[in-house]
Amino acid sequence: MARNTSLHFRVVEGRSLPAKDVSGTSDPYCIVKVDNEVVARTATVWKNLNPFWGEEYTLHLPMGFHSLAFYVLDEDTIGHDDVIGKISLSKEWISSYPRGIDSWINLTHVDPNEEVQGEICLEVKVLEEPQRRTLHCHVIEARDLAPRDISGTSDPFARVSCDGHALETAIIKKTRFPHWDEVLEFDLEEGVPKGSRVSVEVWDWDMVGKNDFLGWVEFSLDALQRSPAKGWFRLLPFPTAEEDAGGKLGALRLKVRLAEDRILPSMYYQPLIELLVESILCPAEEEDVSPLALLEEISSVESRQDVATKLVKIFLGQGLAVPFLDYLNLREVTKTTDPNTLFRSNSLASKSMEQFMKVVGMPYLHEVLKPIINRIFEDKKYIELDPCKIELNRTRRISFKGSLSEAQVRESSQELLKGYLSDIMESIIGSVEKCPAIMRVAFKQLHKRVEEQFPEAEHEDVKYIAISGFLFLRFFAPAILTPKLFNLRDQHADTRTSRTLLLLAKAVQSIGNLGLQLGHGKEQWMAPLHPFILPSIARIKDFLDKLIDVDSESAGKAQPRTLFHPSVTIKEGYLHKRKAEGLHLLPRFTFKKRYFWLSSETLSYSKSPEWQVRSSIPIQRICAVERVDENAFQQPHMMQIITQDNEGQLRTMYIQCKNVNELNQWLSAIRKASICNERMLPSCHPGAFRGNRWTCCLQPDRAVRGCSRTHSAMTLGDWSDPLDPDAETQMVYGQLLLARDKLREKYIECSDAGLAPEQERGPGTRAQGEQGCSCQDRQMAAAARLLNVIQDLERAHSAFERREKEEADNDSHHP
């Protein structure tokens, strides 16, 4: 049985940060670490003591975690960046807020003695002999220690202390993965006080100055006499009270939410899946009596997006995504009397369509928009149409002509916007065949339902607006406005580019609305674009007609049980690949720039995107995808891809990314693509084999077991997350469990004419009974069936929890 841990966090903004530059300001950015591993870096906000970031991340952590830390630094062009402060949140503290944290938290000082990481492998026991009693401590090895030296390594040794006596191991120089294999023994006298402690400390030896603390672990001597301690132990900082700087270092506004679920075997979720599927395959005559309709009614508005995402993935896995969306859309359309309000609410239908496009249509979105978005970021043009916001000093040329006039700025901005907008529309209109078949079929069904509900001539455009409202207003326009949230860019846009993207997104929204709002809003300064927008409307209708011109018979073929076709590119871009023969070359000659493509079948690369000859690695041969220590090649942001050839030999490719965010994105994407591989390695070397030894653990044997654990299941949450029916159904069950009282109260307890649960009635009677009973009775019957499923899953969870507790108790008694 697995555990599913997802950590959602958003770095919103900072306030009252201290000035670190001589100009009286700072250039702040945030580094986010999970258990001392960097998982994200925000953009730098230049010259601002109250920065706004608004950057959001989701991490999947199947192995769990201990702490989440946010570091605020001031970026310096020359020299090292200045550390402003940190916020450290323990997993226990985050877990104490089941609905999540959304608050301002003061920054604290960074204490080097608290910046510890890694684990130590020990065997500690008390040996009883006829004439003596001995504390036997076998210090075996440590891994992933904090780097304390400028070389990115440490010179670690261990110190074991007991009853005022201390012994030390040898010093292992220049490694974060020391292997001591030393036994240290203490004679225990009769007068050793009860409650004595045994501590094992790890230090970094320094020739000059004080040694640096690397962490410690402590045991009770009484507990060791009863049961020896053996295995890997997490190194901890010295226990000190964390001092709040009283707001002198400023504060961050953070949003953090932890979702932890125990995932049961698939058989336990099957009844709930069958109940949801029944709503689609056997729809009731009344629109509000199916289990799916009840789920929408009892789920909170805040959770509706998560519920919609999980339902979309569940029905994708069942091959029923199109019937699922058609069911929800039909309910929504049937209830709507005013076409102007169609799909304007945050209903389950609206959210499901929106999430469906993100789940299956992201490669399509990237192919359509990414080249144009990249060009806008590279151009960095100053564009502004609003007279109240034009800043003439921003347009100053490096010439004798001085700055442009306001009219010239508007004219220049209009031409630039029309150029970008023309390229965007041409790319969208020419993308019919690129759009996934399943999206086209879903839009065709939506078009049909709207046309049936509003057949009048005056509502001719409603069937087009229903589709364009999703495709343009909820897909293309948001992606143009914030490309980073759709993985079109690694970083948020700067102020100038953000304004350009906002103006383009507004224009695309107007086109998606088929020009219905043109001239009616407050932004009359957008009027110069109207001559371009109006002629585009007819072309958009023609595009939508072609988009839904897909054979309905292909609906079954268009419903994949995976997110996208195996050959679809999941991620692509330039990276630097280390030459296999470049061992003795200088770093600048060792790495070559190559263009990489990742699909669920292959990882391929060539000299450029246009280059015809590609080298490819089958995804199924990947055994590990891990970070590489900076000191391995004296290069930052590196990863290794370990593969196994047909002869069973392991091969390693080293790749360098341009920043930590790009590194994390590639690590995550390749790990997801290879997550089902059977030959994944449990350990690897985070260094390189150079000079006849590993740079990480200093072992001379090239084939020796890896000194660090692999992290194949640690990934960033995004549109490319693979389908996981059990985890998705568990989340739906969690929402039902939260709303169980509401469900019982509304449909069971508050009614005088309730139906007995289904198992209390004879076989074959449900259909007969429901034919003759009222709509309220059918609602109660559906609610009773949902309650039965909730109860069965709750019992299963309780049984597994008891079993886990019993196994843990047995392990503690029999180490």
Side-chain angles (χ1 to χ4, degrees):
M1 186 179 62
R3 283 190 176 273
N4 190 35
T5 302
S6 294
L7 186 61
H8 311 270
F9 59 90
R10 187 176 191 223
V11 185
V12 185
E13 57 186 320
R15 71 181 179 194
S16 305
L17 300 182
K20 290 290 184 178
D21 299 338
V22 293
S23 61
T25 63
S26 291
D27 306 313
Y29 67 92
C30 285
I31 290 286
V32 186
K33 293 184 179 182
V34 171
D35 292 346
N36 292 290
E37 183 164 314
V38 178
V39 296
R41 183 203 192 276
T42 69
T44 300
V45 180
W46 301 99
K47 300 186 185 305
N48 200 318
L49 300 180
N50 299 285
F52 178 83
W53 290 288
E55 299 196 23
E56 193 167 357
Y57 302 88
T58 296
L59 277 176
H60 299 309
L61 302 161
M63 301 301 292
F65 72 104
H66 298 285
S67 65
L68 172 68
F70 301 84
Y71 295 77
V72 182
L73 294 92
D74 167 56
E75 183 167 338
D76 287 333
T77 306
I78 301 174
H80 292 291
D81 296 346
D82 300 316
V83 178
I84 295 175
K86 68 175 279 192
I87 293 170
S88 185
L89 309 176
S90 69
K91 179 186 174 184
E92 292 72 24
W93 190 77
I94 299 171
S95 300
S96 66
Y97 294 86
R99 295 188 178 276
I101 301 160
D102 182 359
S103 63
W104 286 94
I105 304 176
N106 286 340
L107 290 163
T108 61
H109 292 284
V110 176
D111 181 355
N113 287 334
E114 294 181 6
E115 303 301 302
V116 303
Q117 65 185 65
E119 299 171 305
I120 187 168
C121 187
L122 302 166
E123 182 181 13
V124 189
K125 57 187 176 182
V126 176
L127 299 178
E128 299 281 357
E129 299 176 1
Q131 301 299 325
R132 61 189 292 223
R133 198 160 58 105
T134 306
L135 175 67
H136 173 100
C137 183
H138 186 189
V139 185
I140 304 170
E141 60 183 319
R143 61 189 178 194
D144 196 31
L145 298 178
R148 289 288 191 250
D149 299 338
I150 195 170
S151 62
T153 62
S154 290
D155 304 320
F157 68 92
R159 177 185 297 150
V160 182
S161 303
C162 178
D163 192 27
H165 301 281
L167 294 173
E168 295 179 353
T169 67
I171 299 167
I172 311 293
K173 293 190 175 181
K174 295 185 178 180
T175 180
R176 298 194 305 116
F177 299 84
H179 187 84
W180 293 289
D181 197 15
E182 293 188 36
V183 175
L184 305 177
E185 291 189 334
F186 298 80
D187 287 329
L188 299 176
E189 301 175 359
E190 291 296 329
V192 175
K194 191 174 183 180
S196 294
R197 313 291 293 179
V198 178
S199 68
V200 181
E201 302 169 7
V202 184
W203 293 83
D204 167 52
W205 176 81
D206 282 335
M207 181 178 294
V208 180
K210 294 194 305 180
N211 297 333
D212 299 314
F213 179 65
L214 294 175
W216 81 324
V217 61
E218 192 178 40
F219 306 94
S220 163
L221 189 58
D222 295 337
L224 291 174
Q225 289 178 327
R226 295 191 299 269
S227 173
K230 183 178 181 180
W232 286 97
F233 299 90
R234 177 173 168 247
L235 292 169
L236 300 172
F238 279 135
T240 56
E242 190 175 78
E243 293 185 9
D244 191 325
K248 294 180 180 178
L249 299 179
L252 293 183
R253 184 185 169 201
L254 302 173
K255 291 185 178 182
V256 183
R257 181 168 58 87
L258 177 63
E260 275 192 302
D261 288 312
R262 178 189 290 104
I263 309 300
L264 302 174
S266 300
M267 57 180 286
Y268 291 95
Y269 296 110
Q270 201 56 38
L272 179 53
I273 290 178
E274 289 174 357
L275 207 55
L276 296 173
V277 168
E278 180 186 294
S279 302
I280 306 303
L281 300 181
C282 308
E285 292 181 8
E286 286 80 8
E287 60 183 27
D288 294 322
V289 298
S290 71
L292 199 54
L294 293 180
L295 174 60
E296 175 177 17
E297 190 167 342
I298 63 176
S299 61
S300 64
V301 176
E302 297 79 14
S303 66
R304 195 157 291 164
Q305 181 165 308
D306 287 340
V307 171
T309 304
K310 301 307 180 187
L311 287 174
V312 165
K313 289 193 169 186
I314 288 172
F315 283 98
L316 270 170
Q318 296 291 317
L320 295 170
V322 170
F324 163 68
L325 295 170
D326 186 44
Y327 169 84
L328 293 179
N329 290 337
L330 178 59
R331 293 182 66 243
E332 183 84 1
V333 169
T334 304
K335 291 188 295 185
T336 304
T337 56
D338 182 1
N340 295 317
T341 63
L342 187 61
F343 295 114
R344 296 298 182 185
S345 65
N346 288 322
S347 64
L348 187 60
S350 298
K351 287 295 182 183
S352 296
M353 282 292 290
E354 186 177 335
Q355 297 307 308
F356 166 73
M357 291 188 297
K358 290 180 180 179
V359 168
V360 304
M362 204 63 78
Y364 164 61
L365 179 81
H366 281 217
E367 191 171 1
V368 172
L369 291 182
K370 193 166 187 176
I372 305 164
I373 295 295
N374 286 341
R375 194 170 84 245
I376 293 169
F377 270 75
E378 292 163 5
D379 289 348
K380 295 184 182 297
K381 299 290 187 182
Y382 177 71
I383 296 176
E384 185 55 76
L385 295 180
D386 186 353
C388 299
K389 294 186 177 180
I390 290 179
E391 299 178 23
L392 297 179
N393 60 332
R394 288 199 177 193
T395 68
R396 190 177 302 276
R397 300 173 178 175
I398 305 176
S399 71
F400 297 105
K401 296 182 179 180
S403 60
L404 299 175
S405 67
E406 182 177 315
Q408 288 174 316
V409 171
R410 285 174 57 81
E411 183 180 352
S412 171
S413 298
Q414 290 171 29
E415 293 306 313
L416 288 169
L417 283 174
K418 287 177 182 177
Y420 289 140
L421 199 54
S422 176
D423 291 342
I424 290 172
M425 296 315 301
E426 290 299 328
S427 184
I428 292 175
I429 289 169
S431 69
V432 171
E433 298 302 323
K434 298 174 185 176
C435 185
I438 191 171
M439 281 181 65
R440 298 179 65 182
V441 174
F443 286 141
K444 180 174 183 175
Q445 288 296 105
L446 175 60
H447 181 277
K448 174 185 174 184
R449 298 303 186 187
V450 175
E451 191 173 39
E452 290 172 348
Q453 179 70 7
F454 302 103
E456 299 84 4
E458 64 267 25
H459 297 146
E460 172 67 22
D461 286 344
V462 177
K463 58 181 179 288
Y464 292 109
I465 293 175
I467 301 173
S468 64
F470 285 116
L471 191 58
F472 284 80
L473 275 62
R474 298 194 184 214
F475 197 46
F476 288 136
I480 293 168
L481 181 62
T482 51
K484 185 179 186 296
L485 299 185
F486 290 77
N487 297 116
L488 290 166
R489 296 289 297 188
D490 293 335
Q491 297 287 350
H492 285 297
D494 57 29
T495 305
R496 176 177 290 193
T497 306
S498 291
R499 184 60 180 171
T500 300
L501 296 174
L502 174 63
L503 295 173
L504 288 171
K506 286 178 179 291
V508 170
Q509 284 180 327
S510 296
I511 293 172
N513 276 323
L514 302 187
L516 293 181
Q517 304 298 323
L518 284 184
H520 299 293
K522 298 179 181 179
E523 300 169 341
Q524 295 299 318
W525 41 266
M526 289 286 288
L529 292 181
H530 293 179
F532 177 87
I533 293 173
L534 290 171
S536 301
I537 294 171
R539 299 183 67 200
I540 291 302
K541 288 183 179 180
D542 182 60
F543 161 71
L544 295 176
D545 283 332
K546 291 177 181 177
L547 195 68
I548 63 173
D549 186 16
V550 56
D551 188 1
S552 297
E553 296 294 325
S554 66
K557 299 178 183 177
Q559 296 168 36
R561 292 176 184 266
T562 56
L563 293 185
F564 30 75
H565 193 274
S567 63
V568 167
T569 299
I570 300 170
K571 189 168 179 60
E572 61 183 301
Y574 277 109
L575 299 170
H576 285 83
K577 175 185 172 293
R578 181 178 178 272
K579 294 173 66 175
E581 68 279 6
L583 185 63
H584 304 292
L585 298 176
L586 294 173
R588 61 177 296 187
F589 300 112
T590 304
F591 292 88
K592 291 295 182 182
K593 191 175 183 179
R594 294 292 181 263
Y595 198 86
F596 281 77
W597 295 266
L598 174 67
S599 72
S600 56
E601 290 182 332
T602 61
L603 175 66
S604 55
Y605 58 93
S606 68
K607 289 187 176 181
S608 68
E610 299 80 21
W611 201 262
Q612 297 300 315
V613 180
R614 296 187 185 182
S615 301
S616 295
I617 299 172
I619 292 296
Q620 62 186 17
R621 291 189 180 177
I622 293 178
C623 302
V625 188
E626 297 296 322
R627 298 170 186 267
V628 177
D629 281 348
E630 187 170 331
N631 71 306
F633 300 105
Q634 286 72 53
Q635 297 291 323
H637 316 312
M638 287 198 60
M639 67 177 176
Q640 57 180 316
I641 301 172
I642 304 174
T643 57
Q644 192 172 41
D645 61 22
N646 292 329
E647 287 74 38
Q649 295 293 316
L650 295 179
R651 309 287 182 188
T652 304
M653 175 192 291
Y654 295 101
I655 294 173
Q656 184 182 27
C657 303
K658 63 184 178 184
N659 55 51
V660 69
N661 284 343
E662 185 179 68
L663 171 64
N664 285 324
Q665 289 163 10
W666 275 100
L667 283 171
S668 178
I670 301 174
R671 285 171 180 172
K672 288 178 188 178
S674 59
I675 199 167
C676 295
N677 288 4
E678 297 178 354
R679 297 179 290 185
M680 300 303 288
L681 298 175
S683 63
C684 72
H685 291 281
F689 194 79
R690 306 177 67 188
N692 297 318
R693 66 178 185 176
W694 288 101
T695 59
C696 45
C697 58
L698 310 181
Q699 295 296 313
D701 182 4
R702 186 170 198 141
V704 71
R705 175 181 59 87
C707 57
S708 178
R709 288 183 299 176
T710 54
H711 305 79
S712 59
M714 180 176 173
T715 58
L716 292 170
D718 59 21
W719 59 273
S720 63
D721 288 349
L723 297 180
D724 188 345
D726 296 340
E728 288 141 13
T729 313
Q730 169 64 30
M731 186 272 176
V732 174
Y733 157 70
Q735 291 299 317
L736 288 170
L737 192 63
L738 288 174
R740 177 171 56 180
D741 291 341
K742 181 179 178 182
L743 191 65
R744 182 185 294 126
E745 177 183 348
K746 185 167 186 178
Y747 296 105
I748 304 297
E749 294 177 354
C750 294
S751 176
D752 296 331
L755 285 178
E758 186 177 349
Q759 67 264 28
E760 296 180 10
R761 290 186 278 160
T765 61
R766 184 176 72 86
Q768 298 170 7
E770 289 188 3
Q771 288 175 2
C773 62
S774 67
C775 177
Q776 183 185 16
D777 291 336
R778 282 190 287 271
Q779 286 178 331
M780 288 166 33
R785 299 174 69 203
L786 271 177
L787 288 166
N788 287 338
V789 169
I790 296 170
Q791 187 177 39
D792 291 342
L793 279 169
E794 190 176 29
R795 287 172 178 166
H797 275 282
S798 298
F800 275 96
E801 191 173 352
R802 285 195 302 271
R803 193 179 306 170
E804 282 182 351
K805 190 175 185 303
E806 290 170 2
E807 291 174 355
D809 291 341
N810 290 335
D811 289 342
S812 64
H813 291 121
H814 305 285

